[in-house]
Amino acid sequence: MKSISMAALGVLASTALSVQAAPIWQDFSISGLYGENYKVVDDQQTTATIEYAAKVKYADVFFFLDQSRGGDHSNTTYSELSPRLSLSEVSGKKLSYGPIKDVLISTTWERNRDDFNNNFDNFLYGVAVDLDVPYFQYFNLNLYRADNEKTHNDYQMTITYALPFNVSNEDFLVDGFLDWSTAEADHASELNWTSQWKWNAGKHISPKTRLYLGVEHSVWNNKFGIKGQDENNVSALIKYHF
């Protein structure tokens, strides 16, 4: 299993390095989140998040880092780096059929550091398909094998999506992800469906300003793989894209 982890790390590194090439597009944002009724760690939580996404010729990459502070003043730093390698671009052949736009090698590095000494580095590797779904800006399906550092290895499905829409002259965006992972001997199956519902207030400042106000809705069953720890809460959100 260690050799597979090293291979996954190699794909992560090589794909991430390719992003140093001039991007076709890129996006950087920072956001603030405040919510209550969280489970497992602390009831209240304030989170600052930075996100970066980019597309280059052979790959795309998504990175985020959450810096969270609980109501008891505990601190958690959690990040994910998710490079994906386009098999269409690498092979020079369009791997599209029906709603499938592309097939990719998909990897993720999950890293956690907190005040409770629950530190880990997990490596996920698998395949992905980008789908052409009407009205959606993007809709991606990733299937992973997870090499977990502190729990038994499992399998994970991740869906990411973005749906822009307009009401009168106002611009809105619903985007988010759904993670589902399998149950293993030492943890329950998890489902985490998190969506952000945002209004672009920035367009009233200038046409190109993207300052979003809204909420984040999180449904998390068996949070952290703990049976019966279910969460359903709404948090206040502000997000600015540079």
Side-chain angles (χ1 to χ4, degrees), residues 29 34 38 45-46 54 71 85 87 94 103 110 118 135 142 161 170 177 196 202 205 215 239:
S29 68
Y34 174 78
Y38 289 98
Q45 188 168 286
T46 302
L85 192 64
L87 296 182
K94 294 198 68 174
V103 180
E110 301 175 339
N118 183 31
Y135 305 109
N142 302 268
Y161 56 89
E170 302 299 328
F177 67 89
Q196 294 183 351
I205 301 173
V215 297
K239 188 170 190 175

Side-chain angles (χ1 to χ4, degrees), residues 62 64 66 78-80 82 106 108-110 122 124 139-144 146 148 154-161 176-183 188-195 217-225:
F62 176 69
F64 77 86
D66 287 342
Y78 178 79
S79 62
E80 291 187 10
S82 300
S106 187
T108 292
W109 174 17
E110 301 175 339
N122 298 334
L124 289 69
F139 196 102
N140 305 328
L141 171 64
N142 302 268
L143 301 174
Y144 295 108
N148 300 317
D154 54 19
Y155 294 92
Q156 179 174 309
M157 176 187 73
T158 297
I159 297 171
T160 59
Y161 56 89
F177 67 89
L178 186 150
D179 285 341
W180 175 82
S181 60
T182 58
S189 173
E190 287 185 71
L191 185 147
N192 180 359
W193 183 14
T194 298
S195 295
H217 180 214
S218 175
V219 177
W220 199 337
N221 295 336
N222 298 331
K223 187 172 184 178
F224 300 146

Side-chain angles (χ1 to χ4, degrees), residues 11-21 23 25-27 51-64 80-86 104-105 107-109 140:
V11 174
L12 278 162
S14 61
T15 310
L17 286 173
S18 73
V19 178
Q20 294 182 3
W25 59 261
Q26 61 182 340
D27 182 75
E51 293 177 286
Y52 177 76
K55 175 71 173 75
V56 294
K57 180 174 176 57
Y58 296 108
D60 60 47
V61 65
F62 176 69
F63 169 80
F64 77 86
E80 291 187 10
L81 173 65
S82 300
R84 304 187 312 157
L85 192 64
S86 167
L104 308 96
I105 296 175
T107 60
T108 292
W109 174 17
N140 305 328

Side-chain angles (χ1 to χ4, degrees), residues 12 67 75 83 94 109 113 117 140 169 171 173 183 187 194 198 206 216 234:
L12 278 162
Q67 182 64 53
N75 293 287
K94 294 198 68 174
W109 174 17
R113 298 293 184 267
N117 200 32
N140 305 328
N169 293 322
D171 299 336
L173 177 65
H187 61 270
T194 298
K198 297 171 288 192
S206 72
E216 179 176 281
V234 176

